[in-house]
Amino acid sequence: MRVSTGVRGAVCAGAFTAVLVVGSVSPAFAGGGDSGFQLGGGSQTDSGEGKPGQGGGHISAHITFSQRGGGGSGGSGGGGVSVADWDPPGCWYAPQYDPEEFREARQNLYYTAVHDPGASDVVRDISDENEGYAEDHYHEDDKGKGMYWTAQYRDDATLAEMMECDRPPFWADNAEPPDVPHAISPEILAGLAYERMKVPSLKARLAPAGASKVNLPTWVWLDKAQLEPVSVTATLAVGGFTMSATTTAKPVRLAIQPGTADARTLPAGGTCPVGEGGAIGEPFAAGKADRMPPCGVTYLKSSGDATYRLRTAVTWDTAWTGTGGAGGDLPDGTYGQPQDVQVREIQSVNR
């Protein structure tokens, strides 16, 4: 069943099997075992370390990732958490080959198809496309000025997502990215960086460190060193073409949930912003016992033999900037760690 220029499908024993042959990527033909052939970026191993905590994605081998910040937790974190609740697009076009590489790849593609019994119905298509590329001499006189662009697919992309990028490989100048749907862009790179970002799951500091007392404030704070911004940069660099985007998450506030209705948060709304000095709240110190903390909670009843589940979570404001001055916002994330707090009555002494 012919689906499009670069996509064919087969229905076998009631199961739908996608077969990609010309254009960019071609998994093994249905029922062909190890037969089949590939051209283009396709489903290539990510050149970074994959998606942290999510098993790693398969992205164009020309895209690299680097992260700044988020490596530590200031002594009170619980490891990193992935920020993104976001899936990259199923496909996009990106530069892949210079003229010599593309000519060789197309010749190899034709040779493999001719000698593959399962590919006999596409040999003519490949031959016709190669003749078209040969008319431009594979842009050999333009080497260093541009690249052949091919479709790149997310490794778990559906057939419908793949079919959105069914255009055969095409030439584009490095100085001006092609104005075609699904062409790689700083926004796509920002999303791919966002997908890989990890921020520390911060555990707020408390005072007193032991049991809290009824009607006396419990101080809550995070030091400046714990609240460093985290950024991930995605860079596409190949054959003189370069594009990049940096996604940055900045902590902006801490939310407090005391774990009981018998408590008052400080401030009353239960949200403590990052202060001018870069910290949230204020550390407790000797001489501050008669003061109210800028960030904290006052419990009004004892927890008895149990504890209250105090939840504190930091909200990270996320945005991106990219090549050409592009930029925008991405969804915020809120993460933290709960703590069990025992609250006791203040003991009075009878004389």
Side-chain angles (χ1 to χ4, degrees):
M1 177 178 65
R2 187 159 187 153
V3 181
S4 67
T5 302
V7 181
R8 295 179 186 270
V11 179
C12 300
F16 185 76
T17 305
V19 182
L20 306 176
V21 289
V22 220
S24 289
V25 62
S26 54
F29 286 94
D34 293 332
S35 70
F37 44 92
Q38 176 171 313
L39 170 65
S43 188
Q44 299 184 15
T45 302
D46 180 0
S47 57
E49 295 181 357
K51 187 192 302 184
Q54 300 184 41
H58 291 280
I59 304 300
S60 169
H62 296 301
I63 300 178
T64 59
F65 299 88
S66 59
Q67 175 162 327
R68 293 174 59 90
S73 55
S76 61
V81 293
S82 298
V83 171
D85 181 12
W86 180 88
D87 288 324
C91 69
W92 56 87
Y93 297 107
Q96 181 74 20
Y97 296 106
D98 69 18
E100 293 180 4
E101 292 170 340
F102 188 63
R103 177 193 287 272
E104 181 179 0
R106 293 298 305 193
Q107 291 173 345
N108 290 339
L109 178 66
Y110 178 76
Y111 178 85
T112 304
V114 167
H115 292 83
D116 189 333
S120 58
D121 60 335
V122 299
V123 171
R124 181 59 182 271
D125 289 343
I126 298 173
S127 178
D128 290 346
E129 288 184 351
N130 284 357
E131 289 180 7
Y133 293 126
E135 290 179 1
D136 295 324
H137 302 286
Y138 287 88
H139 286 275
E140 290 177 345
D141 292 339
D142 298 321
K143 185 174 182 178
K145 301 177 182 178
M147 298 285 292
Y148 278 97
W149 288 50
T150 66
Q152 312 285 329
Y153 300 105
R154 198 179 69 238
D155 62 343
D156 59 347
T158 65
L159 176 64
E161 290 174 322
M162 290 181 177
M163 288 180 64
E164 294 180 6
C165 297
D166 63 351
R167 179 172 179 162
F170 57 90
W171 176 264
D173 292 336
N174 289 336
E176 186 175 353
D179 184 17
V180 299
H182 306 295
I184 192 75
S185 65
E187 185 174 6
I188 291 177
L189 289 176
L192 295 174
Y194 179 64
E195 183 192 26
R196 283 158 177 72
M197 177 175 287
K198 296 186 75 174
V199 299
S201 178
L202 299 173
K203 184 177 181 181
R205 303 180 189 274
L206 306 178
S212 294
K213 300 297 189 290
V214 172
N215 293 323
L216 292 181
T218 296
W219 292 58
V220 179
W221 74 94
L222 286 167
D223 296 329
K224 178 181 178 180
Q226 298 174 267
L227 299 171
E228 295 181 350
V230 178
S231 65
V232 176
T233 298
T235 302
L236 171 62
V238 53
F241 180 89
T242 302
M243 180 184 290
S244 67
T246 298
T247 296
T248 302
K250 297 180 180 179
V252 292
R253 58 186 174 274
L254 176 75
I256 300 176
Q257 296 180 353
T260 174
D262 297 315
R264 292 195 300 263
T265 56
L266 305 167
T271 300
C272 306
V274 174
E276 293 182 1
I280 293 178
E282 182 181 314
F284 178 79
K288 295 183 179 181
D290 58 345
R291 290 176 48 188
M292 296 297 289
C295 183
V297 58
T298 299
Y299 287 100
L300 307 179
K301 288 186 177 181
S302 168
S303 62
D305 294 332
T307 58
Y308 294 126
R309 191 71 161 170
L310 172 65
R311 300 181 184 276
T312 58
V314 175
T315 295
W316 298 76
D317 185 47
T318 310
W320 66 275
T321 58
T323 298
D329 295 324
L330 287 164
D332 297 341
T334 300
Y335 314 96
Q337 295 186 58
Q339 301 181 60
D340 292 326
V341 178
Q342 187 176 38
V343 181
R344 296 175 176 170
E345 297 282 357
I346 300 176
Q347 300 297 317
S348 59
V349 178
N350 296 320
R351 296 181 181 274

